[in-house]
């Protein structure tokens, strides 16, 4: 599930009552200082727009969070913490910089740097296209930028908690553009030696200790290690929660014999299951990489990984924009209906019966796995704040809602022919600033499995349900 803010924010009249605010200061119109423009992105409870500052004419990004969806004090504190953390990280070169925050009756607005150079995979595509090769040193430079951001966070007492390719974007399209970390919605402040309780990480980038619900800053290193593995192989090291918890991954079969020993050793140090034995960000930054070209077979796999990741991400944006505010609120009533004994928590049996009643196709094993992942405090039950992320996790990973899938397919099917053509794909990608004709051709070649030059609905569904998993080489 994505975000539920599908319209431009409309500021309302300010009122001077500080007690009614989230940020603890008088309400203020953002349109006194900025004009909001094109929508750039959607995410949980918010939408991001391009904005222009009246006083300087400079362009920034504005993340607008809809206040009425922040129904608990905990959710409001998350917004305050996000802003506090971004202010704490001002001046760090690999962190997106906050420019200001404003609150009106309907929204909290966070103004920050506008990064226009695409994400991590866009950089890889540019390297391959411009240089006709991609080396371990290229992968190392990308990971170095990530680790600089991680080190900046850790040195300021911050755990990012959601290190993944989507959360690293290039400041511009220039060759010397800097990678910037974004996505601080899940970040937390922590003192040295302390541990955090709660969910941390995204799907395949989640560290094993985060699945158990108590962890420290080392989870960011693990997630960066997963990214390095992907950058060198074009596939994930772990394909399930079970594999993450066991910490076993392959460094022997293709393509790993062609990868340098030093790169494989670094992956092992970053993906060490025991967080206390995991390498630190500072030590990773002290290492040097070999300028060894990546094998063409790996390049082909990386191109496929990038293509499937891109269209999957774009389709999720379309689906997110179609999800109504009513649907997110329905999750709260769903919790109440499953909590049959009105204890304020949901047991495994209540979850299994409740999901079955809702028509879920999850097997008993999958329900148990979901329960184990969501039960972050390990007490055998799900509290409300554990239940909501778990349900959103199901929506994201399984894409069970057929109407959402079909709506996304229709978005790409511009001529209502029942197929996604190259023209439709190119239009959608350009509209969302997610690629060019070359990217569209690569996506078409990977998703069009019957090679008829277009993508039918079955091919689209297969990509959506499997594309975030593991593109096969």
């Amino acid at each position: 599930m994505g975000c539920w803010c599908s319209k431009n924010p409309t500021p309302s009249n300010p009122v001077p009552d500080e007690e009614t605010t989230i940020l603890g200061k008088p309400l203020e119109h953002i349109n006194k200082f900025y004009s909001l423009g094109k929508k750039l992105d959607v995410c949980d409870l918010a939408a991001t727009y391009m904005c222009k500052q009246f006083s300087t004419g400079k362009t920034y990004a504005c993340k607008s969070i809809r206040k009425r969806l922040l129904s608990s004090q905990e959710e409001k504190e998350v917004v305050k913490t996000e802003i506090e953390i971004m202010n704490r990280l001002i001046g760090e070169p690999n962190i997106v910089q906050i420019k200001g925050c404003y609150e009106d009756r309907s929204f909290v607005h966070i103004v920050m740097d506008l990064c226009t150079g695409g994400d991590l995979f866009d950089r890889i595509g540019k390297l391959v296209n411009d240089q006709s090769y991609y080396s371990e040193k290229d992968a190392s430079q990308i990971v170095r930028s990530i680790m600089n951001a991680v080190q900046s966070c850790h040195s300021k007492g911050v755990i990012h908690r959601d290190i993944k390719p989507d959360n690293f974007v290039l400041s511009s399209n220039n060759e010397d553009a800097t990678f910037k970390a974004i996505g601080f919605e899940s970040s937390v402040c922590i003192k040295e030696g302390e541990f955090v309780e709660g969910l941390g990480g995204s799907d395949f980038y989640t560290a094993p200790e985060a699945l158990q619900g108590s962890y420290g800053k080392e989870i960011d290193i693990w997630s960066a290690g997963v990214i390095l593995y992907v950058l060198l192989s074009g596939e994930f090291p772990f394909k399930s929660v079970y594999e993450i918890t066991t910490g076993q991954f392959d460094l022997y079969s293709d393509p790993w014999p062609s990868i340098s020993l030093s790169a494989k050793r670094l992956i092992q140090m970053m993906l060490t299951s025991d967080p206390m034995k995991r390498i630190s960000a500072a030590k990773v930054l002290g290492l040097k990489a070999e300028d060894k070209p990546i094998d063409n077979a790996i390049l082909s796999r990386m191109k496929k990984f990038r293509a499937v990741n891109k269209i999957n991400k774009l389709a999720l944006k379309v689906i997110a924009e179609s999800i109504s505010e009513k649907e997110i609120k329905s999750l709260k009533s769903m919790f109440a209906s499953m909590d049959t004994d009105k204890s304020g928590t949901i047991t495994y049996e209540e979850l299994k019966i409740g999901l079955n009643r809702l028509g879920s196709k999850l097997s008993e094993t999958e329900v148990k796995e979901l329960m184990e992942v969501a039960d972050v405090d390990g007490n055998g039950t799900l509290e409300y704040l554990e239940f909501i992320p778990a349900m959103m996790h199901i929506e994201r990973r399984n894409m069970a809602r057929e109407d959402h899938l079909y709506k996304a397919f229709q978005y790409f099917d511009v001529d209502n022919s029942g197929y996604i053509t190259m023209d439709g794909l190119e239009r959608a990608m350009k509209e969302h600033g997610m690629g060019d004709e070359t990217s569209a051709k690569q996506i078409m070649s990977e998703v069009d499995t019957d090679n008829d030059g277009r993508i039918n609905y079955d091919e689209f569904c297969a990509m959506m349900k499997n594309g975030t998993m593991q593109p096969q080489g």
Side-chain angles (χ1 to χ4, degrees), residues 155-190:
S155 68
K156 297 290 181 69
V158 172
I159 308 178
H160 187 283
R161 291 212 303 179
D162 200 14
I163 298 293
K164 60 183 179 180
D166 291 358
N167 279 336
F168 287 89
V169 293
L170 286 161
S171 57
S172 71
N173 287 310
N174 298 335
E175 192 171 327
D176 60 350
T178 304
F179 268 115
K180 302 276 187 178
I182 59 174
F184 290 92
E185 301 88 347
S186 301
S187 302
V188 293
C189 299
I190 188 173

Side-chain angles (χ1 to χ4, degrees), residues 360 362 366 392-401 405 464-465:
S360 169
L362 291 180
E366 289 172 321
M392 292 169 67
H393 179 82
I394 290 176
E395 184 78 24
R396 285 192 185 102
R397 288 282 299 279
N398 297 321
M399 302 303 298
R401 289 287 299 274
L405 278 175
M464 286 300 296
K465 292 176 180 176

Side-chain angles (χ1 to χ4, degrees), residues 24-45:
K25 59 182 182 179
L27 301 183
E28 191 172 31
H29 281 183
I30 189 173
N31 64 4
K32 289 171 56 179
F33 309 98
Y34 297 88
S35 62
L36 298 185
K38 177 184 176 183
K39 182 190 290 183
L40 301 172
D41 199 7
V42 287
C43 62
D44 291 350
L45 310 182

Side-chain angles (χ1 to χ4, degrees), residues 201-410:
S202 292
D203 294 340
F204 301 106
Y205 301 95
T206 305
E209 65 269 26
L211 295 174
Q212 298 167 4
S214 181
Y215 49 87
K217 62 187 179 182
E218 296 81 13
I219 68 164
D220 289 342
I221 308 297
W222 175 281
S223 300
V226 173
I227 294 176
L228 177 58
Y229 190 103
V230 170
L231 292 176
L232 293 175
S233 67
E235 59 185 18
F236 288 112
F238 311 102
K239 289 84 175 177
S240 69
V241 170
Y242 174 76
E243 289 188 14
I244 292 173
T245 56
T246 60
Q248 299 299 312
F249 54 93
D250 178 24
L251 287 177
Y252 300 99
S253 59
D254 285 337
W256 294 104
S258 65
I259 302 297
S260 70
L261 183 60
S262 60
K264 288 185 281 193
R265 282 177 175 166
L266 176 56
I267 288 173
Q268 288 175 319
M269 289 187 285
M270 296 178 79
L271 297 181
T272 296
S273 292
D274 184 346
M276 296 299 101
K277 296 179 181 178
R278 202 170 296 155
I279 190 171
S280 68
K283 287 184 178 178
V284 173
L285 290 169
L287 300 175
K288 292 185 178 181
E290 297 182 25
D291 193 11
K292 183 178 181 181
I294 299 291
D295 184 85
N296 284 336
I298 305 175
L299 282 183
S300 177
R301 188 180 298 183
M302 278 300 304
K303 287 179 181 179
K304 182 170 185 175
F305 190 102
R306 174 178 176 255
V308 173
N309 179 77
K310 190 173 285 290
I311 189 172
N312 198 283
K313 182 178 176 181
L314 180 52
L316 284 172
K317 280 189 176 186
V318 175
I319 291 170
E321 292 183 346
S322 73
I323 296 173
S324 68
E325 185 178 318
K326 184 177 180 181
E327 286 180 275
I328 180 60
K329 288 187 174 180
S330 73
L331 290 175
K332 297 179 180 181
S333 61
M334 187 189 299
F335 178 86
S337 68
M338 288 189 186
D339 180 20
T340 53
D341 61 359
K342 306 305 176 186
S343 63
T345 61
I346 294 176
T347 65
Y348 165 70
E349 286 300 323
E350 287 176 327
L351 180 65
K352 182 175 69 172
I353 293 169
L355 288 174
N356 183 62
R357 189 170 63 243
L358 292 170
S360 169
K361 300 189 186 311
L362 291 180
S363 67
E364 189 165 336
T365 300
E366 289 172 321
V367 175
K368 284 181 180 178
E369 187 175 274
L370 176 66
M371 184 78 184
E372 289 172 2
V373 173
D375 181 19
V376 294
D377 59 10
N379 66 357
T381 63
L382 298 185
E383 298 174 359
Y384 171 70
L385 290 178
E386 295 172 324
F387 174 80
I388 295 300
M391 293 302 101
M392 292 169 67
H393 179 82
I394 290 176
E395 184 78 24
R396 285 192 185 102
R397 288 282 299 279
N398 297 321
M399 302 303 298
R401 289 287 299 274
E402 192 71 20
D403 56 333
H404 291 162
L405 278 175
Y406 190 64
K407 186 179 287 287
F409 181 79
Q410 286 180 309

